[in-house]
Amino acid sequence: MNKLKAVKGVIKKLLVILFIILGVLLISFVIHIHEINLENSMLREIDQESTATDVMIDIHPRGQVTDKWEKDNAFPNKIIYARIYEATVNNNSDGLMLDWSIRLNITEDCFLNNAWCGTVEVHQLINGTENVQTIDLRNYDEKDIELVHYVAGQDLLIPLSSGDYIVYHSDGTGVSGESPLGNSKNSSGQANVGLIMYSESGDVDFSDFKLDYYIKKSYLSGDDGFAFTVLFAAWLLLFMFSLVVSALVLHFEGRLYSRNRLVEESFRLCAAIADMKDPYIKNHSHRTAKYAKMIAEQMGMAKDDCENVYYVAMLHDIGNYFVAEQILRKSGSLSREEFEAIKNHTRKGAEMLEDMESLPHVVEGALYHHERYDGNGYPTGIKGDEIPLIARIISVADAFDAMNSDRAYRNRLQSESIKRELRDNSGSQFDPVIVGVFMEIIDKIQF
Ligand SMILES: [Fe+2]
């Protein structure tokens, strides 16, 4: 039982600590979420000067230097050449890349012909007026184009010059099937988009660019997210462990309670069998046991020893079972034989209990509880400290209950009379130390 109490104490402390840790974890996690939200809402950018590695962009012509072709009869007075340009975007961060766009600043005269994997937002300055239109060059109607443009054969040509710019908005179709762009840690993390440009040289300078983007990080990504995941998993394991141990403790407590109750009721049954021979002493053994235990506790005895005193006292008169009822119930004076028969309940009780090894001192309690401190008791006449302590305790408790109960030949005594009797017989019938202890607690008993 004590071990169970110790385990319960440890589990209670553990649960308190766990809930404090949970509170700290939750507060830290809320702060962490706020910080991630701030990061996620931050517009980031990369240009040709950037050395960042979490997101990288490379804009380059496709293929070899010679991979360009002449456009026949586009203009009567000049020849233009076409070339494909690709932009490769790599997301190496630990989040998703959202709403990304590439601004391509035009530094020389050229023509935009086509673009794929997204739409282009064209800013075209003509005679001091800026024309702006967003077009999906994979699917358009020529009459809807508001920008200055030419149509040469099947080809659309949107003239651009220095100061103009194109903003390329990816639609995810060139993103290895991903939109938004995943990261290289759990996917390809790469997007390839492209466009076709015409110019007289066949080469367009795209070294002046800017990539705008947002990175959306998961709350559980990164070192902090991993730490939170591990800590919460550990917390959960400890919490589950505490619950399992608590359930086991409750289970064993329930079993112990049932067992203790069985023991208690069994002892009370034995005591009742002895007491029932005389209706005037009904429950005498149980009350004596309670008083004896109170004395033991007041004397500072260990809890187990107090329990032992209680159960031994419960059986102190078990030998009455062998005394004839008419003798026990007799209200008049007893003959010498009758008195001997009554005295013999101590030896009979001891005989009954001699094989009861699980309850220490049970034989001593039954055999010596009528011994007197001055040596004039029975059955052996031992005196003083020769009388086992447990018997001396029971002797006081037994006498108190006898005086505090009605008998066939008298009513119960008044409390002051009882106290006087105990004091008067202290040192003769009773151990004076035990009487002194009992006087300290006697007023707690309901007279
Ligand atoms: Fe007795």
Side-chain angles (χ1 to χ4, degrees):
M1 186 58 103
N2 288 336
K3 283 182 182 172
L4 281 180
K5 277 189 177 174
V7 173
K8 272 174 77 176
V10 170
I11 290 296
K12 271 186 185 173
K13 284 177 188 166
L14 181 60
L15 282 172
V16 169
I17 293 169
L18 280 177
F19 278 107
I20 291 171
I21 291 173
L22 180 64
V24 173
L25 270 178
L26 286 177
I27 291 169
S28 304
F29 195 59
V30 168
I31 294 169
H32 171 72
I33 286 173
H34 177 66
E35 288 171 349
I36 293 288
N37 283 340
L38 284 179
E39 283 189 44
N40 287 352
S41 62
M42 184 173 69
L43 176 63
R44 302 156 192 258
E45 61 177 49
I46 286 177
D47 59 21
Q48 66 273 24
E49 307 291 333
S50 298
T51 55
T53 55
D54 63 334
V55 169
M56 300 169 76
I57 180 169
D58 180 33
I59 303 171
H60 51 270
R62 177 188 285 180
Q64 306 297 314
V65 176
T66 54
D67 286 347
K68 49 189 172 184
W69 65 93
E70 179 182 336
K71 176 64 183 168
D72 295 333
N73 303 319
F75 299 99
N77 56 352
K78 61 181 173 187
I79 298 171
I80 55 174
Y81 297 89
R83 187 148 198 186
I84 297 173
Y85 288 86
E86 292 178 329
T88 302
V89 177
N90 283 289
N91 177 15
N92 303 317
S93 73
D94 54 2
L96 290 175
M97 193 170 162
L98 302 177
D99 299 331
W100 57 277
S101 62
I102 309 167
R103 173 171 167 155
L104 301 165
N105 291 319
I106 304 300
T107 56
E108 59 194 314
D109 290 347
C110 58
F111 300 91
L112 170 63
N113 166 242
N114 203 350
W116 52 90
C117 308
T119 57
V120 281
E121 176 190 321
V122 181
H123 293 249
Q124 182 190 54
L125 197 63
I126 302 290
N127 298 325
T129 302
E130 185 182 28
N131 299 326
V132 180
Q133 187 175 10
T134 300
I135 320 167
D136 184 347
L137 291 175
R138 296 163 299 183
N139 181 23
Y140 65 94
D141 191 332
E142 196 258 329
K143 69 178 186 311
D144 294 331
I145 297 180
E146 300 160 1
L147 299 162
V148 173
H149 65 281
Y150 308 100
V151 176
Q154 298 292 315
D155 287 333
L156 176 72
L157 299 173
I158 299 172
L160 299 169
S161 56
S162 179
D164 294 344
Y165 63 94
I166 304 165
V167 181
Y168 193 109
H169 298 281
S170 169
D171 63 3
T173 53
V175 186
S176 306
E178 292 179 67
S179 179
L181 184 58
N183 56 58
S184 56
K185 291 186 175 66
N186 54 30
S187 67
S188 69
Q190 186 178 80
N192 291 293
V193 296
L195 64 166
I196 298 176
M197 301 296 295
Y198 280 82
S199 66
E200 288 188 51
S201 67
D203 293 312
V204 176
D205 179 14
F206 280 136
S207 62
D208 186 6
F209 66 85
K210 184 161 71 76
L211 172 66
D212 287 340
Y213 61 98
Y214 294 88
I215 292 293
K216 185 185 179 187
K217 291 183 181 177
S218 158
Y219 299 132
L220 296 179
S221 67
D223 292 342
D224 288 347
F226 179 74
F228 278 121
T229 306
V230 170
L231 285 173
F232 186 69
W235 183 92
L236 204 57
L237 276 175
L238 274 172
F239 184 65
M240 296 297 288
F241 170 77
S242 303
L243 290 185
V244 169
V245 174
S246 298
L248 286 173
V249 168
L250 287 176
H251 172 72
F252 284 117
E253 265 190 344
R255 286 180 61 181
L256 268 178
Y257 175 75
S258 299
R259 202 175 67 186
N260 288 345
R261 202 167 160 195
L262 177 66
V263 170
E264 166 80 16
E265 289 178 354
S266 299
F267 271 75
R268 288 183 69 165
L269 176 64
C270 292
I273 290 171
D275 291 348
M276 70 189 298
K277 287 207 160 191
D278 182 355
Y280 281 97
I281 60 170
K282 187 179 180 188
N283 290 330
H284 161 70
S285 295
H286 182 223
R287 290 193 300 271
T288 301
K290 286 198 296 184
Y291 305 145
K293 185 181 178 186
M294 289 171 68
I295 294 170
E297 288 171 342
Q298 186 67 14
M299 291 173 74
M301 290 171 69
K303 192 164 185 265
D304 285 351
D305 292 335
C306 294
E307 289 290 310
N308 190 65
V309 168
Y310 175 77
Y311 287 118
V312 168
M314 194 90 84
L315 300 179
H316 76 283
D317 268 346
I318 192 79
N320 277 346
Y321 184 77
F322 293 94
V323 182
E325 285 182 21
Q326 61 270 29
I327 299 176
L328 282 173
R329 297 183 180 198
K330 190 172 181 180
S331 56
S333 58
L334 299 171
S335 67
R336 200 176 66 83
E337 290 76 16
E338 288 170 335
F339 188 54
E340 287 301 319
I342 284 182
K343 284 164 61 179
N344 200 37
H345 80 280
T346 52
R347 292 192 186 280
K348 281 294 183 185
E351 283 175 28
M352 287 175 72
L353 300 169
E354 65 184 0
D355 293 329
M356 194 172 184
E357 295 176 352
S358 61
L359 189 63
H361 311 297
V362 66
V363 172
E364 296 164 8
L367 185 60
Y368 299 120
H369 70 274
H370 283 294
E371 299 292 356
R372 289 172 56 100
Y373 198 70
D374 57 11
N376 293 320
Y378 65 87
T380 64
I382 57 176
K383 63 180 179 182
D385 292 346
E386 293 170 359
I387 306 167
L389 176 62
I390 199 163
R392 282 178 270 149
I393 292 173
I394 293 171
S395 170
V396 174
D398 184 24
F400 170 80
D401 188 65
M403 292 186 280
N404 195 39
S405 306
D406 292 330
R407 286 287 189 266
Y409 49 89
R410 60 148 174 84
N411 290 328
R412 60 195 288 184
L413 304 185
Q414 295 297 310
S415 61
E416 289 309 315
S417 301
I418 294 174
K419 290 177 186 175
R420 188 168 56 248
E421 279 292 317
L422 289 171
R423 281 197 203 97
D424 289 350
N425 290 286
S426 175
S428 52
Q429 183 176 350
F430 309 118
D431 181 337
V433 174
I434 294 173
V435 171
V437 170
F438 192 52
M439 284 302 170
E440 294 169 7
I441 55 173
I442 193 167
D443 288 328
K444 294 179 186 174
I445 299 169
Q446 189 75 36
F447 282 100

